[in-house]
Amino acid sequence: MLNRRLIFAATLVLAGGINGAALAQDKSIVVSSTTSTTDSGLFGHILPLFKQKTGIDVKVVSQGTGQALDTGRRGDSDAVFVHAKAQEEKFVAEGFGVKRFPVMYNDFILIGPKSDPAGVKGGKDITAALKTIKEKGAAFISRGDKSGTHTAELNLWKAAGIDIAKDKGDWYKEIGQGMGAALNTASASNGYVLSDRGTWLNFKNRGELDVIVEGDRRLFNQYGVILVNPEKHPHVKKELSQAFIDWLVSPEGQKAIADYKVNGQQLFFPNAGAPGA
Amino acid sequence: MPAGASALEMVLTGDPGLYSIVGLSLYVSLSAVALAAIVGFPLGAFLALVRFPGRGPLVVVINAFMGLPPVVVGLAVFLLLSRSGPLGFLGILFTPRAMIFAQALLVLPIIVALARQTIEDLWAEYRDELTAMGIGPAGRVATLLWDGRFSLVTTLLAGFGRAAAEVGTVMIVGGNIDGFTRMMTTAIALETSKGDLPLAIGLGLVLITLVIGVNAIAWGVRRVGELRAG
Amino acid sequence: MHGNFSDLPIEFAGASVRAGGVAILDRISLVIAPGAPTLLIGPNGSGKSTLIRLGMGLIAASEGRVLWGGRTSADGARCAMVFQRPVMLRRTAAANIDYALASTGVSRRARPKRIEQLLADVGLQALADRPARRLSGGEQQRLALARARARDPEVLFLDEPTASLDPAATKAVEDIVRATAAAGVKIVMATHDLGQARRLAGDIVFLVRGRVVEHAPAERFFTSPSTSEAAAFVRGDLVI
């Protein structure tokens, strides 16, 4: 008898909680995005502006690009905001997303120890730099987590004519973690690592690390935003999420992105509507 | 959280971001322990008092589950609560409710296992007396839970310690959403990934202080209670 | 709560209790009838405690049977028991009584008055709000008696309640036992203290190695025991 009463109480607590959660979600959407957008502080800058204008709360779950897309695929977010064009297009082609809107780009940079054991500092050619690192067997930290940055890194190895899956040795370390963790590892082990500029500028535990290669066009990193398809997941908050997407690509949203600076440096370059972006 | 601020500064200046994170941590972990206790105490009492086939193996499994990896629990709850999962219709993934639910599952084996042990020991002492008084099964459970209350507080603390310290489940099912599902442990993980190690350590110290505070309060309550009720 | 039927007499009909092939009680045939206190005496290990537990219904007979007022089950019987080392619930003295009252279905409203009376009967009214486990051994035993009486029993079993008490505390317990008996409650009490048996008993059940060797009115048992073992025990010889 006592047991039954307690179980009943527990059920009430749970049920009450669920109702409360449903109510609290009324004017909010969930966006799955990449660690780089969160860690760089961009969302901290633009989301309050959007909320002020529309009253909509954007809850950002920051994950690697692969996981963020998967979260959208499962219907656990209303929109995805990531940076891996090929994967994004596949996401839309498979019917999980409605349409991909290019929003902005930032760039990747090759980070490495100031001592530069591979001797590649100052160059503008990222593939040449990677070739040298491999030849000299200098330590290289890879995200190894199927994130956008990881995908970009793999594409660069390919562009350098290296089959990294086959050619990797002790010098190539896949850590399977986020950008910050990869930078922490590089800092602790004096390795090279490919990073997005935003995370790097916000990163505090730099130790002996510095920018080694930057400015190569192949290092540009395009972000896109996609509404999760309401036909697959009817609970998706279509209007609220589309309002967020529309704002991101509007002149107002684009200006907000351009205005975000760290130490006087602009991190993200809006390019909504740019052909081929 | 403002960049470059130290944890000490944030504590002293009453940083609202920090205080909401601390509040959420306490809310989620304490709720999870309460939920686990509501289910786990009667369950532990049941295991202590009732002999049935398969009880031995069940006790072993529950004892082993005290060490469940949080990530595994988080992943299981994630798959359960995901829109594509069996409980997806609830729509509570990436909310504090989901975190409470996941942590309650994580803590439940600890509560059940320790409560079972406590109540079994107490039952050995009380069996004859309660039988002589003709107390039925429900009354026995209630009596043993009440008379074991001071020892069971320790059970709750063990559960709370586990919940407050873990990052695996809440990161996965909560999503570490700023101002909504960010707790002490996920904030520490985030600051670590941002490379702000001093802030991460500072937040860690705040968390440890909190846990010590909760334990101190529980200890005080237990002392006073024991003095008054023996 | 209580039926209209009586639990007396309690009749042991060839009742045995075995544990691991050893007979702790061996074919006991005994009738416990209403009246003055029945005292169980005998050397250690003679089966006094087991007989009390059997009579209380805490254990079942391996052979034979026990009848309570002709019924084969002790369920719902108006029996209460005081153990040699009573377990005090982890609450105040008053709350211990309250618990026993609640267990017999006394309404919440009626309890405070009964608690006060029961505590006064055993001289513990001043200690009502003390944690029961902080009382002295003698006080705990008196509280156990009050708690047992709270169940308004027809039969009260006591298993060597004064075994670990000093003379003053023993006297207090005996006074309560006497008063309880005078109030019409049938007392069944184990003791290894012959003096206590003399002071309290109406009849004596003398046990040796799990068997009833003699069952007689107290006066006759002490003046002219009919068995040599009982005679030796009364003389103070060692009976094994």
Side-chain angles (χ1 to χ4, degrees):
Chain A
M1 190 179 76
L2 180 82
N3 282 357
R4 220 174 298 158
R5 233 183 295 158
L6 286 174
I7 289 164
F8 180 65
T11 316
L12 275 186
V13 168
L14 258 182
I18 289 159
N19 287 338
L23 286 175
Q25 279 180 335
D26 263 351
K27 239 201 158 193
S28 70
I29 59 171
V30 174
V31 173
S32 55
S33 185
T34 65
T35 46
S36 53
T37 39
T38 307
D39 290 4
S40 65
L42 175 71
F43 280 132
H45 172 70
I46 65 170
L47 292 183
L49 296 172
F50 176 66
K51 163 123 199 217
Q52 203 176 20
K53 184 175 161 74
T54 61
I56 300 171
D57 250 323
V58 180
K59 293 173 187 158
V60 179
V61 181
S62 66
Q63 303 166 324
T65 291
Q67 199 191 346
L69 284 167
D70 189 56
T71 300
R73 201 172 285 130
R74 304 183 63 90
D76 292 324
S77 60
D78 299 301
V80 293
F81 190 178
V82 294
H83 59 95
K85 192 173 170 183
Q87 289 183 52
E88 290 163 41
E89 284 169 343
K90 182 161 169 260
F91 182 78
V92 172
E94 287 170 353
F96 291 107
V98 177
K99 181 170 187 283
R100 172 179 176 273
F101 294 86
V103 178
M104 63 189 187
Y105 68 89
N106 68 347
D107 62 340
F108 291 117
I109 45 185
L110 185 68
I111 301 296
K114 285 184 185 129
S115 56
D116 191 23
V120 293
K121 190 173 166 68
K124 281 225 161 200
D125 186 340
I126 182 67
T127 53
L130 289 179
K131 266 184 216 156
T132 314
I133 288 171
K134 191 219 152 209
E135 275 156 25
K136 301 218 168 153
F140 188 94
I141 311 301
S142 170
R143 291 275 294 274
D145 62 351
K146 296 200 170 161
S147 61
T149 307
H150 184 220
T151 307
E153 179 214 312
L154 294 178
N155 288 338
L156 289 171
W157 285 113
K158 205 184 281 174
I162 295 166
D163 183 353
I164 195 67
K166 206 171 86 216
D167 293 346
K168 65 183 172 198
D170 284 347
W171 57 277
Y172 186 83
K173 298 180 179 70
E174 289 171 287
I175 62 166
Q177 297 189 69
M179 196 66 252
L183 284 167
N184 275 330
T185 308
S187 172
S189 61
N190 272 336
Y192 292 91
V193 60
L194 189 74
S195 171
D196 63 285
R197 189 183 294 273
T199 306
W200 167 251
L201 285 176
N202 266 304
F203 189 72
K204 301 202 171 56
N205 181 32
R206 291 185 182 177
E208 290 302 304
L209 295 181
D210 204 353
V211 177
I212 302 294
V213 176
E214 62 184 328
D216 190 322
R217 280 201 64 84
R218 285 170 294 190
L219 289 171
F220 284 3
N221 179 28
Q222 179 66 42
Y223 284 80
V225 64
I226 305 170
L227 176 68
V228 173
N229 196 344
E231 282 171 24
K232 287 243 171 183
H233 297 290
H235 58 268
V236 164
K237 292 174 182 157
K238 192 166 57 173
E239 284 80 19
L240 298 182
S241 309
Q242 192 59 50
F244 178 58
I245 293 172
D246 290 346
W247 182 81
L248 280 176
V249 299
S250 72
E252 192 185 337
Q254 296 273 292
K255 180 173 180 307
I257 292 168
D259 284 347
Y260 180 59
K261 295 192 171 72
V262 173
N263 303 329
Q265 275 201 56
Q266 181 176 343
L267 287 189
F268 295 94
F269 300 87
N271 66 344
Chain B
M1 237 166 271
S6 80
L8 182 64
E9 247 174 78
M10 291 181 348
V11 170
L12 294 180
T13 59
D15 180 82
L18 176 69
Y19 278 76
S20 85
I21 287 174
V22 167
L24 184 69
S25 281
L26 287 176
Y27 167 67
V28 167
S29 295
L30 290 175
S31 303
V33 171
L35 195 61
I38 288 171
V39 179
F41 279 166
L43 213 59
F46 177 82
L47 279 177
L49 299 186
V50 182
R51 296 289 178 272
F52 54 89
R55 176 183 172 277
L58 185 62
V59 166
V60 170
V61 167
I62 289 173
N63 285 349
F65 275 16
M66 288 200 283
L68 271 184
V71 183
V72 175
V73 174
L75 198 56
V77 173
F78 172 83
L79 292 173
L80 204 63
L81 295 181
S82 167
R83 289 286 182 177
S84 306
L87 294 181
F89 64 93
L90 295 175
I92 61 168
L93 190 65
F94 301 142
T95 68
R97 309 288 167 189
M99 297 154 78
I100 292 171
F101 178 59
Q103 284 204 334
L105 278 186
L106 186 70
V107 166
L108 187 62
I110 296 181
I111 305 268
V112 173
L114 297 183
R116 181 196 63 79
Q117 191 62 56
T118 301
I119 289 170
E120 213 168 284
D121 294 348
L122 199 56
W123 176 235
E125 184 189 341
Y126 276 29
R127 181 189 290 129
D128 285 346
E129 199 79 65
L130 295 192
T131 310
M133 281 197 251
I135 309 296
R140 287 175 195 172
V141 170
T143 305
L144 292 168
L145 287 176
W146 179 249
D147 278 39
R149 59 199 180 279
F150 300 118
S151 309
L152 291 174
V153 166
T154 309
T155 304
L156 294 180
L157 287 177
F160 175 74
R162 173 122 162 115
E166 71 89 24
V167 65
T169 67
V170 287
M171 185 66 98
I172 296 176
V173 304
N176 194 25
I177 297 169
D178 191 14
F180 186 56
T181 58
R182 185 161 300 164
M183 311 212 337
M184 289 301 292
T185 52
T186 55
I188 291 167
L190 179 66
E191 293 307 330
T192 305
S193 79
K194 283 179 170 177
D196 197 341
L197 304 188
L199 180 54
I201 284 285
L203 290 173
L205 292 178
V206 172
L207 177 59
I208 290 168
T209 310
L210 265 182
V211 172
I212 291 175
V214 168
N215 275 272
I217 291 169
W219 185 81
V221 168
R222 184 177 170 158
R223 283 292 295 168
V224 171
E226 276 177 338
L227 280 177
R228 292 185 46 203
Chain C
M1 193 67 195
H2 302 320
N4 294 324
F5 41 75
S6 171
D7 298 315
L8 287 170
I10 296 176
E11 187 184 351
F12 299 82
S16 298
V17 172
R18 290 178 209 286
V22 180
I24 301 167
L25 288 180
D26 190 6
R27 284 162 289 161
I28 301 283
S29 288
L30 176 69
V31 174
I32 295 188
T38 299
L39 270 280
L40 312 181
I41 61 171
N44 283 340
S46 58
K48 302 187 295 285
S49 288
T50 308
L51 185 58
I52 281 193
R53 297 167 79 85
L54 187 60
M56 184 67 200
L58 290 180
I59 53 173
S62 320
E63 277 165 34
R65 56 184 190 163
V66 184
L67 297 170
W68 290 266
R71 286 167 294 115
T72 52
S73 163
D75 286 351
R78 291 170 58 193
C79 298
M81 179 157 177
V82 172
F83 293 85
Q84 183 175 348
R85 290 177 196 283
V87 175
M88 295 288 111
L89 301 180
R90 287 157 170 82
R91 330 169 173 215
T92 62
N96 267 268
I97 308 284
D98 186 74
Y99 184 88
L101 288 171
S103 78
T104 57
V106 176
S107 78
R108 199 176 287 273
R109 236 169 353 130
R111 283 183 229 156
K113 246 193 134 80
R114 292 277 319 268
I115 294 171
E116 207 176 318
Q117 183 60 50
L118 286 159
L119 284 174
D121 286 350
V122 298
L124 288 177
Q125 61 273 53
L127 302 178
D129 295 326
R130 278 289 179 83
R133 298 173 80 85
R134 282 172 204 274
L135 300 178
S136 72
E139 289 162 349
Q140 289 198 5
Q141 203 55 271
R142 274 145 68 198
L143 182 58
L145 275 159
R147 194 169 64 185
R149 290 178 55 168
R151 295 179 52 75
D152 191 18
E154 190 181 356
V155 185
L156 175 58
F157 290 96
L158 301 104
D159 187 5
E160 305 206 27
T162 61
S164 43
L165 300 184
D166 64 18
T170 299
K171 178 173 186 316
V173 167
E174 286 182 10
D175 288 345
I176 296 166
V177 169
R178 218 173 269 119
T180 308
V185 178
K186 173 68 190 182
I187 302 286
V188 181
M189 175 167 165
T191 185
H192 63 252
D193 175 350
L194 273 179
Q196 184 165 63
R198 277 200 173 93
R199 290 192 291 276
L200 293 176
D203 59 331
I204 297 280
V205 174
F206 178 53
L207 288 162
V208 178
R209 287 191 300 272
R211 311 187 62 160
V212 175
V213 173
E214 191 159 346
H215 181 195
E219 204 185 300
R220 195 174 78 204
F221 179 83
F222 286 113
T223 51
S224 51
S226 55
T227 59
S228 57
E229 280 126 316
F233 193 73
V234 169
R235 268 199 315 273
D237 291 354
L238 289 175
V239 175
I240 301 164

